């Protein structure tokens, strides 16, 4: 056997010279960098739409930022609506992982060293303790999703005639993805049946078990629903805004 | 290119300190990291301390950090690392010698969790307990735990912040979930979750799920549902009232 004796110890070697995640071929910094860029871009865009824009309706399409449409004085309509999905996403269990890793480095990636700083208290202190109210944001978002379904159906109504435009398809895709994201939420999974200890003990419990299993199917890919729906919310709004500006022409097929 | 030898760095030392020492190990087909470490122990360093038992990823003894990432040595093929890798002890626990760490804190935590507690009626019944498959399959996932403590090791609350007095870690959460969701258990461990178990310190980074060799969905199926159960009592006055009036009132508070 070709053996060799132990070589000299590495003089300044730390206990862990490097961390390589065996479950990912991507470098440790890529995911947090992606999240920072994507969420920052969306955040800036959302602030611009909600606080500085007053128009988001191009018949029969209504921007998801403005649904339901509430116009009171000079206040932009998005202000009345956008807080619900904003709080829902801020307190969402997936986004918590994403922003804690990316913006705060808690942890940036699994097993990597964390930067020294103030004492870590997790979600036990302000403001993170408010993440425990995620279910209330879920309730508010469900109301908005109902309005978005109404808007998506209206988007196929072209002056009393059924039709399909590119905007109709976008709005339908948006509300489908938002529904998948909203109803795959961990809080809803708990409310649907996760809080039960016995799934077979009553008729109601058996029905809730079926619902819980259905929500679990959506919940497994909660991160993908989250990103896909974020993309379609921005994409639908941008499309309607480009129609309003006359930059694009909406291709339609009307009966 | 087929590997013929492995440049293996093993952390050698004790509680006072230590360093990485290099060994050249001949490679056999199908070799795992534990094989290489045991070869070193048998042929080059008979005083090398390493804890192992089954070599089948079922006893949870050979947990270590391979290239800085928590893994079971017996389940890690060396050909994933291209001829060079380092092995160190788990960072979250005190080193005893070389690759052996003192994991006794985990057993102390386990003792602090109130054990399985059936109702007086079930306890006094002479009939065998009957449980539906749908009622037990959820907790069966948690019973797969082999107590390798990789989840404890990778958890940044314990690993980077050393908050062992405040947070009992993912392994404890899995055990609490297995009891709390058991259809025949009647004890209420939610005060424990908010208090001594410190579930609020978890910020859902999901690293515990990533490293689990039994593929238990620790975050999604144990920690998050437990957070939601805690929220029922401490952050949702409506649910708290409903639970008190409804089925959950049957739960007995833990002493």
């Amino acid at each position: 056997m070709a053996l060799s004796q132990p070589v000299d110890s590495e003089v300044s070697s730390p206990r862990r010279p490097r961390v390589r995640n065996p479950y990912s071929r991507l470098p440790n910094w890529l995911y947090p960098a992606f999240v920072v860029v994507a969420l920052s871009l969306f955040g800036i865009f959302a602030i611009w739409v909600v606080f500085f824009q007053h128009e988001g309706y191009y018949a029969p399409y209504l921007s998801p930022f403005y649904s339901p449409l509430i116009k009171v004085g000079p206040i932009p309509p998005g202000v009345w609506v956008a807080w619900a999905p904003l709080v829902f996403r801020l307190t969402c269990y997936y986004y918590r992982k994403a922003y804690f890793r990316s913006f705060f480095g808690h942890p940036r990636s699994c097993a990597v060293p964390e930067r020294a700083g103030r004492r870590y208290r997790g979600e036990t202190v302000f403001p993170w303790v408010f993440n425990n109210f995620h279910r209330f944001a879920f309730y508010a978002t469900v109301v908005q999703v109902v309005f978005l379904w109404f808007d998506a159906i209206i988007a196929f109504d072209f002056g009393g005639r059924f039709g399909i435009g590119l905007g109709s398809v976008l709005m339908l895709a948006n509300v489908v993805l938002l529904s998948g994201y909203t109803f795959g939420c961990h809080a809803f999974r708990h409310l649907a049946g996760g809080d039960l200890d016995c799934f077979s003990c009553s008729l109601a419990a058996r029905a809730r078990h079926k619902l819980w299993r259905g929500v679990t199917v959506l919940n497994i890919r909660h991160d993908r629903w989250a990103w896909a729906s974020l993309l379609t919310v921005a994409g639908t709004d941008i499309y309607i805004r480009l129609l309003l500006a006359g930059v694009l022409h909406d291709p339609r097929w009307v009966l | 290119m087929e590997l013929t030898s492995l440049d293996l760095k093993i952390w050698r030392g004790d509680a006072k300190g230590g360093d990485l020492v290099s060994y050249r190990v001949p490679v056999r087909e199908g070799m795992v990291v534990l094989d290489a470490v045991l070869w070193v122990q048998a042929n080059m360093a008979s005083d090398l301390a390493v804890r192992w038992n089954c070599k089948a990823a079922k006893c949870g003894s050979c947990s270590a950090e391979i290239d800085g990432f928590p893994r079971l040595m017996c389940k890690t093929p060396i050909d994933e690392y291209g001829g060079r890798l380092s092995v160190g002890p788990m960072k979250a626990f005190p080193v005893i010698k070389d690759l052996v760490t003192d994991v006794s804190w985990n057993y102390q935590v386990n003792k602090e969790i109130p054990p399985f507690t059936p109702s007086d009626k079930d306890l006094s019944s002479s009939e065998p307990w009957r449980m539906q498959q749908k009622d037990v399959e959820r907790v069966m996932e948690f019973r797969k735990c082999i107590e390798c403590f990789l989840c404890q090791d990778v958890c940044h609350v314990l690993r980077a912040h050393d908050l062992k007095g405040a947070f009992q870690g993912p392994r404890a959460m899995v055990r609490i979930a297995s009891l709390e969701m058991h259809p025949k258990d009647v004890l209420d461990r939610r005060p424990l979750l908010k208090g001594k178990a410190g579930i609020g310190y978890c910020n859902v980074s999901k690293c515990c799920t990533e490293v689990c060799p039994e593929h238990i969905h620790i975050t999604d199926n144990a920690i998050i549902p437990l957070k939601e159960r805690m929220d029922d009592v401490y952050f949702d006055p409506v649910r708290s009232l409903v639970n008190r009036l409804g089925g959950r009132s049957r739960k007995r508070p833990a002493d």
Side-chain angles (χ1 to χ4, degrees):
Chain A
M1 284 189 294
L3 306 182
S4 67
Q5 294 303 309
V7 298
D8 293 337
S9 301
E10 295 169 22
V11 177
S12 60
S13 168
R15 254 170 73 174
R16 271 142 222 91
R18 60 187 171 135
V19 176
R20 196 173 71 172
N21 186 332
Y23 307 111
S24 173
R25 290 175 184 273
L26 302 174
N28 287 338
W29 55 266
L30 191 60
Y31 173 78
F34 166 75
V35 171
V36 166
V37 170
L39 290 187
S40 299
L41 284 176
F42 183 85
I44 292 165
F45 175 71
I47 288 169
W48 178 72
V49 169
V50 171
F51 292 105
F52 300 102
Q53 297 300 306
H54 290 260
E55 289 300 325
Y57 181 71
Y58 182 89
Y61 309 138
L62 178 63
S63 163
F65 281 99
Y66 296 159
S67 179
L69 191 57
I70 302 168
K71 286 191 171 179
V72 181
I75 298 169
V79 171
W80 303 105
V81 177
W83 63 269
L86 172 70
V87 176
F88 184 59
R89 287 186 190 254
L90 277 177
T91 57
C92 163
Y93 284 100
Y94 167 67
Y95 282 111
R96 276 144 83 169
K97 168 193 165 183
Y99 64 68
F100 270 119
R101 280 194 181 199
S102 308
F103 288 91
F104 303 101
H106 285 318
R108 178 170 53 81
S109 186
C110 298
V112 303
E114 286 189 30
R115 65 182 173 197
R118 284 165 50 184
R119 189 175 167 233
Y120 174 83
R121 301 291 301 276
E123 298 184 337
T124 62
V125 292
F126 178 84
W128 311 118
V129 71
F130 285 109
N131 282 336
N132 289 296
F133 295 105
H134 182 48
R135 63 185 62 177
F136 295 102
F138 166 76
Y139 300 145
T141 305
V142 167
V143 174
Q144 203 207 10
V145 168
V146 171
F147 279 103
L148 287 169
W149 271 106
F150 180 75
D151 295 337
I153 293 164
I154 293 294
F156 289 86
D157 179 2
F158 294 89
R161 293 163 64 194
F162 175 78
I164 300 173
L166 181 55
S168 323
V169 175
L170 274 175
M171 289 184 67
L172 183 64
N174 179 49
V175 76
V176 167
L177 291 170
L178 275 174
S179 300
Y181 170 58
T182 305
F183 294 105
C185 155
H186 291 85
F188 182 53
R189 188 176 178 230
H190 172 75
L191 299 167
D195 61 332
L196 294 171
D197 293 340
C198 181
F199 288 132
S200 64
C201 292
S202 69
L203 193 62
R206 286 193 284 276
R208 289 181 66 193
H209 177 245
K210 284 181 183 165
L211 182 60
W212 176 78
R213 286 176 67 97
V215 175
T216 300
V217 171
L218 291 176
N219 180 262
I220 289 168
R221 297 286 178 214
H222 199 46
D223 52 343
R224 295 185 188 181
W225 288 105
W227 284 115
S229 58
L230 196 76
L231 193 69
T232 54
V233 166
T236 307
D237 181 84
I238 290 168
Y239 182 73
I240 292 170
R241 223 159 274 290
L242 290 173
L243 292 178
L244 278 167
V247 176
L248 289 180
H249 172 72
D250 184 45
R252 293 175 179 180
W253 176 73
V254 181
L255 286 175
Chain B
M1 200 172 71
E2 193 177 335
L3 282 176
T4 55
S5 69
L6 172 70
D7 176 12
L8 177 64
K9 290 186 173 65
I10 302 178
W11 192 89
R12 304 295 309 273
D14 54 26
K16 292 174 193 159
D19 221 330
L20 288 168
V21 178
S22 290
Y23 301 93
R24 188 153 296 278
V25 178
V27 171
R28 296 193 313 268
E29 191 178 354
M31 201 173 196
V32 292
V33 172
L34 182 61
D35 290 325
V37 170
L38 293 179
W39 188 92
V40 170
Q41 189 188 51
N43 295 281
M44 301 177 79
S46 57
D47 61 339
L48 172 64
V50 53
R51 184 188 283 135
W52 70 285
N53 193 1
C54 74
K55 203 176 167 289
K58 284 295 166 195
C59 72
S61 302
C62 64
S63 302
E65 306 213 347
I66 300 168
D67 273 3
F69 201 86
R71 298 187 81 178
L72 290 180
M73 286 190 283
C74 70
K75 207 182 175 184
T76 306
I78 58 164
D79 55 12
E80 285 184 13
Y81 290 85
R84 181 180 296 175
L85 63 90
S86 68
V87 186
M90 288 193 284
K91 189 187 174 191
F93 304 109
V95 173
I96 296 174
K97 186 175 187 300
D98 301 336
L99 301 179
V100 178
T101 51
D102 178 3
V103 294
S104 59
W105 175 77
N106 298 291
Y107 299 110
Q108 289 166 20
V109 162
N110 203 38
K111 285 179 188 169
E112 292 169 7
I113 300 169
F116 176 67
T117 310
S119 68
D120 294 338
K121 184 184 164 195
D122 281 334
L123 205 56
S124 59
S125 170
S126 58
E127 293 293 311
W129 295 350
R130 293 179 187 278
M131 288 178 279
Q132 298 287 319
Q133 179 67 22
K134 67 172 75 165
D135 291 325
V136 293
E137 62 189 7
R138 183 169 46 163
V139 293
M140 279 164 66
E141 180 188 12
F142 306 135
R143 299 300 293 268
K144 289 194 301 178
C145 177
I146 58 172
E147 294 197 312
C148 61
F149 305 125
L150 289 177
C151 57
Q152 303 283 76
D153 183 41
V154 82
C155 174
H156 74 117
V157 183
L158 307 176
R159 181 188 182 89
H161 303 286
D162 197 24
L163 288 170
K164 292 193 181 75
F167 180 51
Q168 292 184 338
R171 162 58 194 145
M173 297 301 132
V174 167
R175 170 141 163 81
I176 294 172
S178 75
L179 297 164
E180 188 66 15
M181 298 176 192
H182 195 289
K184 290 288 185 185
D185 182 89
V186 294
L187 215 58
D188 186 359
R189 295 172 185 79
R190 291 173 296 181
L192 170 74
L193 284 169
K194 187 169 188 294
K196 206 166 187 178
I199 197 170
Y201 280 83
C202 171
N203 66 345
V204 208
S205 70
K206 282 200 165 185
C207 291
C208 50
T209 303
E210 204 167 304
V211 301
C212 180
E214 284 294 318
H215 307 294
I216 300 170
H217 295 89
I218 300 173
T219 318
D220 286 309
N221 289 350
I223 297 178
I224 293 175
L226 290 179
K227 274 179 175 268
E228 288 293 322
R229 285 177 181 232
M230 179 196 69
D231 293 348
D232 283 347
V233 185
Y234 297 101
F235 295 94
D236 188 340
V238 180
R239 292 270 305 179
S240 179
L241 184 66
V242 169
N243 287 341
R244 240 175 269 162
L245 297 173
R248 296 286 291 184
S249 61
R250 288 196 300 272
K251 288 268 188 180
R252 291 207 307 253
D255 294 330

